[in-house]
Amino acid sequence: MFKGKGSEEVASDAISAGVTDYLQTESTTDQYIVLANRIINAVEHYRTHKLLEQSEERLREIINALPHILYIVDSDGTFLLVNGSLASFHHTTVGQIEGTHITELLIDSVANQFHQDLVDVLQSGTPKRIYKVTVSNGKGEEYTFAPRLLPYEFSDLDKQTILGYAVDVTENQQCEYGL
């Protein structure tokens, strides 16, 4: 907003309404250089924001295209990010899982073991492979997974996090036991 006369109240209202910047006119020609720089900065900020949004959308598409379960969970056991494979397995949506605690998806014994594995990985700082975990899906059917947990720094959080992925090995287990 480029205005001849105004007040801080007008500037505040304008910025609250979505104006990117507020500049009051002056009697010097330097104001046009300042105005041009602010316009350039606003356009660059907008373009950067759009590129970031597009990158996040592409990353989400890639994560959701993975055939294996993928998730990021914090040290408390809250899902921060999950992919479509995990959501499909539990017959729900990504949005309904992200932000929930592991105990909302897993039975107590599996959730307790999962939490202990998280603690082990966070304390040791080394990845952990679990060779066999049996989990029920949203319909009560049991599947066997081979998960891997890796310490992971989730950019803007102060909490420690784990990147996990799990491969469905149910068919392998059935073949091994002749089922």
Side-chain angles (χ1 to χ4, degrees):
M1 182 173 193
F2 189 58
K3 184 145 176 58
K5 290 186 178 179
S7 66
E8 286 191 29
E9 182 180 339
V10 170
S12 177
D13 290 345
I15 290 172
S16 294
V19 171
T20 55
D21 206 346
Y22 180 87
L23 184 63
Q24 203 165 352
T25 58
E26 299 174 0
S27 57
T28 68
T29 56
D30 290 342
Q31 68 183 339
Y32 298 111
I33 294 170
V34 172
L35 176 62
N37 285 333
R38 290 195 182 176
I39 290 171
I40 290 168
N41 289 340
V43 169
E44 286 176 0
H45 176 74
Y46 173 80
R47 288 180 180 159
T48 301
H49 181 72
K50 281 295 182 193
L51 285 172
L52 181 61
E53 281 180 354
Q54 290 171 346
S55 292
E56 288 174 355
E57 287 171 13
R58 277 189 232 118
L59 181 59
R60 178 58 82 170
E61 288 173 6
I62 291 167
I63 289 169
N64 284 331
L66 295 172
H68 304 298
I69 289 175
L70 181 94
Y71 51 88
I72 296 175
V73 64
D74 69 13
S75 57
D76 297 330
T78 300
F79 289 104
L80 304 175
L81 181 135
V82 302
N83 71 346
S85 294
L86 179 64
S88 293
F89 176 78
H90 287 284
H91 300 284
T92 187
T93 64
V94 166
Q96 289 177 314
I97 296 176
E98 289 180 346
T100 64
H101 194 266
I102 58 175
T103 56
E104 295 178 54
L105 279 185
L106 305 171
I107 61 171
D108 289 345
S109 60
V110 175
N112 290 338
Q113 183 59 54
F114 184 72
H115 191 264
Q116 185 56 54
D117 291 333
L118 290 176
V119 170
D120 291 347
V121 170
L122 292 173
Q123 287 178 349
S124 70
T126 58
K128 183 173 188 174
R129 175 175 284 171
I130 298 112
Y131 291 96
K132 181 179 165 184
V133 174
T134 302
V135 179
S136 294
N137 67 4
K139 293 184 177 180
E141 302 163 326
E142 288 192 345
Y143 289 81
T144 304
F145 290 93
R148 181 131 191 198
L149 305 173
L150 302 100
Y152 180 75
E153 288 187 32
F154 202 56
S155 62
D156 57 346
L157 292 179
D158 291 335
K159 291 184 176 186
Q160 293 179 300
T161 57
I162 298 289
L163 170 65
Y165 65 91
V167 176
D168 183 353
V169 293
T170 304
E171 282 188 26
N172 296 353
Q173 289 294 114
Q174 290 171 344
C175 291
E176 184 178 319
Y177 295 109
L179 300 174

